[in-house]
Amino acid sequence: MTDLTNYRNIGIFAHVDAGKTTTTERILKLTGKIHKIGEVHDGAATTDFMEQEQERGITIQSAATTCVWDNHQLNIIDTPGHVDFTIEVYRSLKVLDGGVGVFCASGGVEPQSETNWRYANESEVARIIYVNKLDRVGADFYRVVKQVEDVLGANPLVMVLPIGVEENLKGVVDLLTRKAWVWDESGDPLNYTLEDVPADMVDQVEEWREKLIETAVEQDDDLMEKYLDGEEPSIEDLKRCIRKGTIALDFFPTYTGSSFKNKGVQLVLDAVVDYLPSPTEVKPQPEVDMEGNETGEFAVVDPDGPLRALAFKIMDDRFGALTFVRIYSGRLNKGDTILNTFTGKTERIGRMVIMHADDREEISSAQAGDIIAIVGMKNVQTGHTLADQKNPATLEPMVFPDPVISIAIAPKDKAGAEKMGIALGKMIQEDPSFRVETDEDSGETIMQGMGELHLDIKVYILKRTHGIDVEVGKPQVAYRATITQRVEDSYTHKKQTGGSGQFAKIEYVVEPGETNSGFEFESTVTGGNVPREFWPAVEKGFKSSMENGTLAGFPLLDVKVILTDGGYHPGDSSAVAYEIAAKSAYRQTIPKASPQLLEPIMKIDVFTPDDHVGDVIGDLNRRRGMIKAQEPGPTGVRVKSDAPLSEMFGYIGDLRTMTSGRGQFSMEFSHYAPCPNNVAEAVIKEVKDREANK
């Protein structure tokens, strides 16, 4: 039985290129998991084991790894930094207890870091901050600390100060112990000496140490009083206060160094052990019943409790399908039969493994607090809960956003068609934000995802991993439609065949709903003109019709239908008749309600050097963008705007051209908004032409 207080489930998250994978590599080296360090820029990092990751130098899949530091077991999840894979970050945060936010000392707080930070705030994950790449030209630790305060609105608690900067980086001063950690130039993280604080830094160290103590003692009234009376708290007491404040998200202990040069990583590991919560110290996950209502029960971390585990990631590798699971309560043994509460089916646990990047160690049992992978599960998808058969409950399900962009793909030869079907099936399991459907009329396979890069990578995986050559169509935007006018109408469905016929009469109002309300239905019928048992049939008829709008077939959003009156025949009325009446009523009325095309609007966050701000804003205006804010930073300007997705294709290429390769941007879905008439006409014409050519 392992002691849960010695567990740390942590994630490392950051912007692209801030160095999180390199940091993970160093951690593995220090904890003795790997002996030769792989470098990202050589394409040999341990946790980036997918070919496309090594080629592009970015992490696409979260890799889970386990190691030990100071008798504590660390389960580390390396998360992607790129915006199109934010779903991976979100998923990982769900199952983590703490995190390390890595920032680049020269780039500072970048667009994606902000998104990840916001997600971590929503998931209430305690974090420490690590400012990496302090050896880089233009690195400035104090500036990044200021940015964390201003841009993220967080409270960084500075724990170390750097000795030297850029190429002169020697090491760091630990403010608590007043000891300088100085590394030599061999690049070996273990070659360091503990020295006194350099003479020219004594005053600065004292100033920052005072700030640290003042912030920490706020967590304990007794200590605070003693401190105000001039008594200095012990390091143990301070550590206890820092731990309490970190777990309460009052502040974030902040460290610095250079992972690449192996300077400063030990202190970050110590901080993970000292300040981040164990599984028993985080808020337990609420349980919901089969209908999705909270039961008021919680999955308390207890090895002896009923089994509660969440599948948070599915990965297919050379060993077969792996399901990554976080166990919240209970035990899991090899050979157990468990219930998947989503499907209602039972599964037998075959092999269980602890992952070390792409290596694995077989285990026969696991318990609350563990993060493990199960081999060969059949019907489990991301977000499903695995529970005890006798005492089932569901953990809060994960919500995934709807895709906003689609492309048509077709295999180049017949042989590839079957292979492609199997490969796409695996990819859907792995990534819930990725959807595939077949166009009924043309038989085309349509891939849907969160952005251009997202689909780009998927095509790449098909080619590389599965060896399927595909032809890719033009990206299509997921347009929607709504109505703009209120219409009162009625419809009667009559059909007389021998014996009993079909009769349903409905009177109703169709009106625009609130933004983002989807579809709403209410009935104000009195006196039994439409019996209550048929109301759901009317609702179902209208609701199922929403999928296929009257404007070029785009689905309808934000519509409210009110059933006001109708007619009923005791012998001929049935649920089916009312459903048919509602479907016909929909086709009759919606064109009268002045339907309008809606387009997906994206939240765009662009970083550009000062010299090119005018070009970037001019270009966004040309793309029908609405400029929301301009935030000047030390190295350039952040321009925030809303722009329609249809205008943003190929934006990264244009941005790089405008800014001589220095610009960056992130984009995520914001909302649907009405399309200007000229755009709407062009879109509808294009769809009609496409239909005609099929």
Side-chain angles (χ1 to χ4, degrees):
M1 167 73 200
T2 35
D3 182 1
L4 280 176
T5 53
N6 290 344
Y7 272 50
R8 297 288 180 274
N9 291 322
I10 59 165
I12 295 181
F13 50 96
H15 186 83
V16 176
D17 275 351
K20 39 184 195 313
T21 304
T22 309
T23 305
T24 309
E25 289 285 317
R26 298 308 184 262
I27 291 174
L28 295 180
K29 170 80 174 90
L30 281 166
T31 54
K33 272 288 180 182
I34 50 176
H35 299 293
K36 173 186 167 292
I37 294 186
E39 295 305 347
V40 174
H41 38 261
D42 301 336
T46 318
T47 47
D48 281 357
F49 51 85
M50 284 166 68
E51 271 181 27
Q52 41 290 34
E53 298 186 308
Q54 292 175 3
E55 255 179 44
R56 298 186 181 214
I58 59 176
T59 308
I60 299 166
Q61 289 186 312
S62 323
T65 265
T66 302
C67 54
V68 175
W69 179 258
D70 189 15
N71 297 327
H72 284 67
Q73 180 173 326
L74 310 184
N75 297 324
I76 301 174
I77 295 185
D78 182 26
T79 60
H82 208 289
V83 65
D84 284 20
F85 311 111
T86 342
I87 194 94
E88 287 264 351
V89 179
Y90 205 64
R91 255 191 280 177
S92 308
L93 284 170
K94 275 290 283 187
V95 297
L96 296 176
D97 304 327
V100 179
V102 181
F103 295 99
C104 169
S106 58
V109 177
E110 292 167 288
Q112 190 57 38
S113 342
E114 209 173 324
T115 314
N116 288 346
W117 195 263
R118 195 171 70 243
Y119 279 166
N121 284 344
E122 283 170 16
S123 306
E124 297 185 350
V125 173
R127 283 146 283 173
I128 51 182
I129 294 172
Y130 172 50
V131 179
N132 186 18
K133 299 193 178 182
L134 206 61
D135 57 320
R136 276 234 174 138
V137 176
D140 182 343
F141 172 64
Y142 302 100
R143 188 186 72 229
V144 179
V145 169
K146 182 90 179 83
Q147 269 186 311
V148 168
E149 288 175 356
D150 298 347
V151 177
L152 301 176
N155 184 5
L157 183 69
V158 175
M159 303 294 292
V160 300
L161 293 185
I163 307 171
V165 73
E166 298 181 6
E167 72 273 10
N168 300 322
L169 176 69
K170 300 278 187 299
V172 295
V173 174
D174 180 349
L175 292 178
L176 278 181
T177 57
R178 297 192 176 94
K179 282 285 178 235
W181 290 60
V182 179
W183 280 266
D184 64 12
E185 292 309 307
S186 65
D188 184 337
L190 300 173
N191 286 353
Y192 64 89
T193 49
L194 286 179
E195 301 174 5
D196 289 333
V197 175
D200 58 344
M201 286 182 68
V202 170
D203 293 349
Q204 193 185 11
V205 166
E206 289 308 311
E207 180 191 334
W208 281 93
R209 191 169 189 268
E210 201 168 310
K211 274 191 201 169
L212 165 74
I213 296 175
E214 279 172 7
T215 312
V217 293
E218 283 174 6
Q219 301 291 327
D220 184 323
D221 293 344
D222 294 346
L223 273 185
M224 184 135 170
E225 276 182 30
K226 283 180 185 167
Y227 178 67
L228 292 174
D229 292 341
E231 189 180 321
E232 182 163 304
S234 68
I235 289 182
E236 269 55 54
D237 282 339
L238 283 173
K239 281 189 171 175
R240 191 181 74 247
C241 289
I242 297 171
R243 181 177 186 88
K244 186 179 167 197
T246 308
I247 295 174
L249 305 186
D250 290 339
F251 46 71
F252 304 94
T254 302
Y255 291 80
T256 187
S258 161
S259 297
F260 182 54
K261 291 279 175 49
N262 280 310
K263 294 175 181 175
V265 180
Q266 286 99 319
L267 288 104
V268 175
L269 279 171
D270 288 340
V272 166
V273 167
D274 288 342
Y275 307 129
L276 288 182
S278 70
T280 52
E281 291 170 297
V282 285
K283 277 188 194 157
Q285 287 275 349
E287 294 179 4
V288 293
D289 58 18
M290 299 305 184
E291 278 73 53
N293 306 312
E294 287 203 8
T295 56
E297 296 286 316
F298 290 88
V300 178
V301 178
D302 174 9
D304 300 324
L307 177 68
R308 306 279 184 263
L310 184 71
F312 66 96
K313 178 179 173 65
I314 290 177
M315 219 168 84
D316 213 69
D317 72 356
R318 58 184 190 268
F319 303 103
L322 287 174
T323 308
F324 283 88
V325 172
R326 158 82 197 260
I327 306 175
Y328 285 99
S329 127
R331 282 193 174 82
L332 200 51
N333 298 311
K334 198 170 168 177
D336 282 358
T337 301
I338 53 167
L339 175 73
N340 176 348
T341 58
F342 186 82
T343 57
K345 294 192 173 96
T346 55
E347 295 247 3
R348 193 167 174 277
I349 303 285
R351 290 168 57 210
M352 297 193 295
V353 292
I354 288 181
M355 298 295 290
H356 167 61
D358 64 341
D359 251 8
R360 57 190 58 191
E361 173 193 338
E362 284 222 19
I363 51 172
S364 57
S365 73
Q367 59 167 27
D370 279 330
I371 291 182
I372 58 161
I374 304 173
V375 183
M377 295 194 94
K378 299 283 185 297
N379 300 314
V380 176
Q381 285 189 336
T382 299
H384 287 184
T385 302
L386 308 174
D388 191 335
Q389 283 175 273
K390 297 185 190 66
N391 181 352
T394 304
L395 299 165
E396 164 195 19
M398 300 186 181
V399 180
F400 295 111
D402 283 333
V404 288
I405 177 172
S406 58
I407 50 173
I409 55 164
K412 286 196 175 158
D413 50 28
K414 284 272 179 358
E418 192 175 326
K419 275 175 70 183
M420 184 170 92
I422 297 168
L424 287 172
K426 285 181 178 170
M427 286 155 70
I428 294 169
Q429 268 197 317
E430 287 174 18
D431 179 357
S433 60
F434 172 64
R435 315 254 172 101
V436 176
E437 52 186 47
T438 307
D439 189 314
E440 286 166 15
D441 304 332
S442 66
E444 280 183 320
T445 303
I446 312 281
M447 292 198 323
Q448 301 172 323
M450 301 312 296
E452 246 182 316
L453 180 74
H454 190 193
L455 294 183
D456 212 25
I457 295 275
K458 296 295 180 208
V459 169
Y460 192 93
I461 292 177
L462 279 177
K463 283 185 182 165
R464 266 308 172 78
T465 314
H466 302 282
I468 307 161
D469 256 351
V470 289
E471 287 174 351
V472 179
K474 210 169 101 202
Q476 302 294 330
V477 176
Y479 289 99
R480 297 282 184 266
T482 188
I483 55 172
T484 54
Q485 282 184 350
R486 183 175 188 272
V487 177
E488 289 186 36
D489 213 341
S490 67
Y491 187 84
T492 307
H493 170 68
K494 266 196 224 137
K495 194 171 176 190
Q496 201 59 51
T497 50
S500 69
Q502 287 182 348
F503 176 82
K505 179 180 182 205
I506 50 174
E507 291 182 19
Y508 53 92
V509 173
V510 172
E511 60 183 30
E514 298 282 315
T515 311
N516 294 332
S517 62
F519 170 73
E520 287 180 278
F521 177 83
E522 69 176 69
S523 169
T524 56
V525 178
T526 49
N529 291 350
V530 177
R532 188 179 280 270
E533 68 259 31
F534 297 135
W535 293 359
V538 176
E539 180 176 1
K540 188 180 166 192
F542 275 111
K543 194 171 181 178
S544 62
S545 305
M546 301 296 263
E547 283 300 308
N548 204 343
T550 51
L551 279 180
F554 291 117
L556 220 58
L557 288 181
D558 306 339
V559 174
K560 186 171 181 181
V561 174
I562 306 165
L563 182 64
T564 53
D565 205 355
Y568 159 73
H569 186 283
D572 293 352
S573 287
S574 63
V576 171
Y578 278 102
E579 193 175 327
I580 296 171
K583 285 181 175 172
S584 306
Y586 170 88
R587 287 196 292 278
Q588 166 185 299
T589 308
I590 294 296
K592 301 178 190 170
S594 311
Q596 181 180 44
L597 203 61
L598 300 173
E599 59 182 352
I601 303 291
M602 308 302 276
K603 203 154 81 196
I604 317 277
D605 184 348
V606 184
F607 167 80
T608 161
D610 293 332
D611 324 349
H612 304 287
V613 176
D615 302 341
V616 166
I617 289 178
D619 181 65
L620 284 169
N621 286 332
R622 269 198 306 285
R623 295 172 186 268
R624 301 197 280 121
M626 290 279 295
I627 307 293
K628 291 286 184 56
Q630 291 180 53
E631 296 171 3
T635 51
V637 178
R638 299 269 296 277
V639 179
K640 296 191 174 183
S641 73
D642 286 352
L645 174 65
S646 57
E647 304 286 343
M648 296 305 292
F649 289 140
Y651 180 63
I652 186 70
D654 294 357
L655 177 67
R656 282 187 180 143
T657 312
M658 274 183 298
T659 59
S660 324
R662 288 166 63 199
Q664 287 181 331
F665 86 109
S666 77
M667 157 164 112
E668 55 183 322
F669 173 70
S670 169
H671 60 281
Y672 276 98
C675 224
N677 283 344
N678 57 334
V679 176
E681 281 163 14
V683 169
I684 292 168
K685 182 176 177 304
E686 189 186 334
V687 172
K688 285 186 173 154
D689 292 350
R690 226 178 21 246
E691 296 293 322
N693 294 330
K694 276 183 181 172

